[in-house]
Amino acid sequence: MKLRHVTVDCADPYELATFWSGVTGWPVSDQDTPGDDEVLIEAPPPVPGLLFIRVPEGKTVKNRIHFDWQPTERTRDEEVERVIRLGASLYEDHRGPQGRGWVTLLDLEGNEFCIEREAKPVT
């Protein structure tokens, strides 16, 4: 069995997919356009794609599952600032002494996700 997509329910699939495309650097499928009810971000294999699907109800409670991202080209703090510039909002800051910890952010529709510390120092 293979995990093909991670699916996110949302109000505006194209807008949210465009945000996440900016975060990840993965392209929005060239088959998708604004107003579509389903929009796919194509991740590099073997990573599953991110599929955004329009639903009528809004988010009402904390996510039961969320993404934890680890920067590979920037430090955690640089990545947090970059993603905030893309439109994310700071939710909880769990950074501690000696650079430990993570930051929890909200995407454009209030879905929580975390930026963890980079695996090794970025040069």
Side-chain angles (χ1 to χ4, degrees):
M1 189 172 340
K2 168 182 155 183
L3 180 59
R4 185 167 176 221
H5 299 129
V6 174
T7 301
V8 178
D9 293 346
C10 58
D12 188 333
Y14 195 84
E15 179 182 47
L16 198 54
T18 300
F19 167 79
W20 280 106
S21 176
V23 170
T24 62
W26 305 337
V28 172
S29 171
D30 59 8
Q31 297 179 25
D32 295 323
T33 60
D36 285 351
D37 288 334
E38 298 178 5
V39 178
L40 176 66
I41 293 178
E42 299 172 336
V47 177
L50 299 179
L51 181 62
F52 299 87
I53 296 181
R54 185 181 320 276
V55 296
E57 60 277 345
K59 180 179 181 291
T60 58
V61 298
K62 183 176 177 9
N63 296 11
R64 296 295 301 259
I65 187 170
H66 68 264
F67 301 119
D68 286 341
W69 298 99
Q70 184 177 52
T72 56
E73 298 177 12
R74 287 171 277 281
T75 68
R76 175 202 52 217
D77 297 345
E78 291 168 338
E79 189 67 14
V80 167
E81 293 306 316
R82 184 184 78 83
V83 173
I84 287 173
R85 284 193 302 275
L86 291 173
S89 302
L90 179 64
Y91 183 63
E92 296 176 338
D93 193 333
H94 299 278
R95 290 177 276 197
Q98 291 89 33
R100 295 184 176 161
W102 68 95
V103 177
T104 305
L105 301 164
L106 302 175
D107 73 11
L108 303 179
E109 293 197 13
N111 300 301
E112 299 93 358
F113 65 99
C114 296
I115 306 288
E116 298 179 347
R117 188 169 68 172
E118 61 279 8
K120 60 181 180 175
V122 178
T123 57

